[in-house]
């Protein structure tokens, strides 16, 4: 059975709180690998953040340091680059993946020493993704989540997409929607269409996110032939 291709922007507009989200895929013209990562927040502490560049990647930092209450779980490097591998995650497991893959582990192996976030009662899933250009273009997405809110069991899922199709991507996010506790993402990453150039795609995502809850957005197009990158960052706190 064919998996339905969802409209990413309509999906975001209908979900007031998907939490943090990763999109990986291929541009419509087939020339670029595409990565997007966004963060949202409900508390003042979560909303008091911006994305800033750091080397080939990005990190989060407090927009107003005087208002930062607890940096754990919200200050980290979402994007790092290891050779021809681009790593995107929603937490400090970016560093784990970077260090473990540098030591020769696979993406899946590197995440076996991590689990969901210790933020009871939500137990927010750790979502991670990589784009690999060496040895054939592919990308993968992972989610580490509690067993239906039971913190004694960690469920690990990895989805790998080899020889990705032009104009197609996959979207994974931390929460099904708003709630208390927040309901974790379920099922396979959502198949979505990727259209337009980097500015069109970036602006469409940003405009689709809930205006009060959105915080920051990162989008990168990676030219598959050369590895050259083009990046866009939008912060609600400018």
């Amino acid at each position: 059975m064919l998996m339905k291709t969802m409209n990413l922007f309509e999906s975001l507009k209908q979900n007031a709180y998907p939490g943090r989200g990763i999109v990986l895929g291929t541009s419509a013209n087939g020339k670029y690998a595409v990565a997007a990562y966004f963060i949202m927040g409900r508390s003042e502490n979560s909303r008091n953040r911006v994305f800033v560049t750091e080397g080939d990647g990005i990190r989060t930092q407090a927009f107003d340091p005087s208002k930062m209450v607890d940096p754990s779980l919200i200050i980290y490097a979402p994007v790092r680059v290891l050779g021809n591998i681009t790593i995107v995650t929603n937490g400090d497991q970016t560093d784990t993946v970077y260090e473990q893959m540098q030591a020769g582990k696979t993406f899946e192996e590197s995440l076996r020493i991590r689990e969901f976030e210790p933020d009871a009662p939500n137990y927010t899933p750790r979502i991670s993704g990589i784009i690999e250009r060496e040895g054939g273009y592919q990308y993968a997405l992972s989610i580490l989540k509690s067993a239906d809110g039971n913190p004694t069991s960690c469920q690990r899922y990895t989805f790998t997409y080899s020889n990705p199709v032009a104009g197609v991507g996959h979207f994974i996010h931390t929460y099904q929607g708003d709630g208390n506790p927040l309901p974790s993402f379920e099922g396979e990453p959502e198949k979505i269409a990727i259209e337009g150039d980097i500015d069109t795609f970036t602006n469409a995502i940003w405009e689709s996110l809930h205006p009060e809850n959105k915080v920051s957005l990162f989008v990168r197009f990676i030219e598959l032939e050369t590895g050259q990158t083009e990046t866009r960052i939008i912060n609600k706190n400018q």
Side-chain angles (χ1 to χ4, degrees):
M1 186 175 74
L2 293 176
M3 187 176 182
K4 181 181 178 182
T5 302
M6 298 180 60
N7 183 305
L8 173 63
F9 316 122
E10 289 303 316
S11 177
L12 290 173
K13 289 174 183 177
Q14 294 167 14
N15 188 345
Y17 202 67
R20 286 162 277 173
I22 299 172
V23 174
L24 298 182
T26 312
S27 62
N29 61 12
K31 293 183 178 180
Y32 303 94
V34 175
Y37 177 65
F38 65 78
I39 58 174
M40 307 183 80
R42 298 188 302 176
S43 68
E44 182 181 20
N45 197 45
S46 291
R47 291 177 176 180
N48 180 36
R49 290 183 290 172
V50 291
F51 285 164
V52 296
T53 58
E54 182 174 69
D56 293 329
I58 61 169
R59 62 181 171 86
T60 62
Q61 75 175 25
F63 174 65
D64 182 348
S66 69
K67 294 182 179 179
M68 178 59 65
V69 178
D70 180 7
S72 66
L73 301 180
I74 66 170
I75 301 298
Y76 55 93
V79 180
R80 294 189 67 181
V81 176
L82 176 63
N84 286 318
I85 302 170
T86 299
I87 304 162
V88 186
T89 92
N90 73 326
D92 64 11
Q93 75 268 25
T94 310
D95 298 332
T96 303
V97 174
Y98 183 97
E99 292 160 5
Q100 293 292 306
M101 293 193 75
Q102 191 175 42
K105 300 289 187 182
T106 66
F107 176 57
E108 188 173 17
E109 287 173 336
S110 69
L111 287 165
R112 289 179 187 168
I113 59 176
R114 301 304 303 267
E115 58 178 29
F116 48 84
E117 296 181 356
D119 60 337
N122 298 315
Y123 302 112
T124 298
R126 290 192 185 271
I127 54 173
S128 309
I130 59 167
I131 293 171
E132 297 182 275
R133 291 176 46 251
E134 190 170 355
Y137 165 47
Q138 67 175 9
Y139 62 85
L141 288 163
S142 163
I143 184 167
L144 314 178
K145 56 187 292 189
S146 68
D148 299 318
N150 179 351
T152 66
S153 176
C154 180
Q155 300 180 337
R156 306 167 190 274
Y157 303 90
T158 303
F159 304 88
T160 303
Y161 306 91
S162 299
N163 300 316
V165 178
V168 174
H170 292 86
F171 173 42
I172 194 166
H173 44 100
T174 51
Y175 309 124
Q176 293 288 95
D178 210 342
N180 190 21
L182 287 158
S184 292
F185 180 88
E186 294 180 355
E188 287 187 42
E190 299 162 4
K191 180 183 174 186
I192 55 102
I194 296 180
E195 301 175 346
D197 61 15
I198 188 170
D199 289 313
T200 300
F201 190 62
T202 300
N203 292 332
I205 293 177
W206 186 249
E207 293 304 316
S208 300
L209 294 169
H210 191 277
E212 291 183 12
N213 294 329
K214 65 184 178 182
V215 175
S216 296
L217 169 66
F218 161 93
V219 176
R220 175 168 290 172
F221 275 37
I222 306 166
E223 190 171 15
L224 291 171
E225 187 173 331
T226 66
Q228 293 185 337
T229 64
E230 195 169 1
T231 301
R232 300 289 184 270
I233 293 174
I234 302 179
N235 292 307
K236 188 175 181 181
N237 295 313
Q238 295 288 359

